Amino acid sequence: MSEDKKFQEFYSKEAEVYEQRRYETPYGLLFRRLHHALLSKELAKVPVSAKCLEVACGTGHTTRLLAQYFDTVTACDLTPAMMSKNQKSENVSNVEYLQANAFELPFPDNSVEVLVSTRFLHLFPWHDQARLFEEFHRVLVPGGRLLIDFDNIVPRWLYVLPHFIYNLLRYKRAAPFSIYNFSGATMKAIANTGFENLNSQGVGGWHLAFINKISTALSYRLGLKHRNLPLRLIAEQFLISGTKKISS
């Protein structure tokens, strides 16, 4: 079975429970809030008229936010079942949906002004991530803005035992579909693809779940501090923003 078919099969089944398991738990709600706050800070820098493309839109975690910041959004995903859930979301009337493979986006060169892809790149090994950087670079206009995030490798090893137990219970295997990245190495690879003005900010952190049980307000305030060093080192993910070089 091809990788595309494997992902389609897995996420077709996950579509029914995806939002519930990832964003409706106490920590999931906290992560959503922190993730959206960070994305909002970056999206506010872009004109509302910009042509925005979301790659791997899933069930709409990020799509709903993008719909608030742009006149029109094109959201694509490989799995129709995930997009079907997305289309039923509230406040997405200005979103156009398109089934597409992220490695072969159906858009001309230099045709997109903002490209956003979240909770997606961790599915692929390093060489495939590099291919995606190239494809994102191809469709963006010179000066176009890129927003993508990755799973952080540092907390993965800090919490190796809880991860192992969770994966056995949740996925019935030692590890899920997940690749973990170093922020510095990832930024270097993206820069080598032809991007500049790169910035990395942390988001989330599994340890915040314990603080969240005591105080949601405290966990959120502390979560905001994970954007920057030193707490960025133990953030669950990091968001990289940048622009396509004008001269590339």
Side-chain angles (χ1 to χ4, degrees), residues 71-118:
D71 292 336
T72 57
V73 176
T74 300
C76 66
D77 199 281
L78 184 66
T79 308
M82 295 286 275
M83 283 195 295
S84 177
K85 291 291 182 182
N86 195 329
Q87 287 173 296
K88 295 175 183 177
S89 302
E90 296 180 1
N91 303 319
V92 291
S93 59
N94 57 334
V95 178
E96 176 187 1
Y97 293 91
L98 181 68
Q99 184 180 8
N101 186 320
F103 292 92
E104 298 176 348
L105 293 170
F107 300 95
D109 297 355
N110 308 316
S111 61
V112 174
E113 293 170 288
V114 185
L115 190 149
V116 180
S117 187
T118 64

Side-chain angles (χ1 to χ4, degrees), residues 15-31:
E16 289 298 323
V17 295
Y18 189 89
E19 289 277 328
Q20 177 186 351
R21 289 177 172 173
R22 286 165 177 78
Y23 303 119
E24 294 178 11
T25 64
Y27 174 68
L29 292 169
L30 173 63
F31 180 88

Side-chain angles (χ1 to χ4, degrees), residues 111-216:
S111 61
V112 174
E113 293 170 288
V114 185
L115 190 149
V116 180
S117 187
T118 64
R119 311 305 297 269
F120 176 58
L121 276 292
H122 68 275
L123 297 175
F124 302 99
W126 184 250
H127 65 278
D128 282 337
Q129 288 185 12
R131 289 173 55 207
L132 288 169
F133 301 159
E134 293 284 354
E135 182 66 355
F136 296 169
H137 181 273
R138 180 187 69 79
V139 300
L140 276 168
V141 301
R145 191 163 185 82
L146 177 73
L147 289 170
I148 49 178
D149 58 25
F150 304 83
D151 282 6
N152 185 7
I153 197 170
V154 177
R156 168 66 178 86
W157 291 110
L158 287 176
Y159 302 112
V160 62
L161 182 58
H163 262 289
F164 178 73
I165 295 171
Y166 173 78
N167 291 328
L168 284 180
L169 294 174
R170 171 72 177 83
Y171 297 104
K172 306 298 187 294
R173 55 179 181 267
F177 297 127
S178 198
I179 302 297
Y180 297 88
N181 289 48
F182 285 107
S183 176
T186 307
M187 288 182 71
K188 183 177 180 180
I190 295 173
N192 289 340
T193 306
F195 290 94
E196 60 186 357
N197 304 316
L198 296 175
N199 182 40
S200 175
Q201 300 176 78
V203 56
W206 299 293
H207 48 279
L208 293 170
F210 300 103
I211 302 171
N212 196 53
K213 290 180 179 293
I214 302 170
S215 170
T216 55

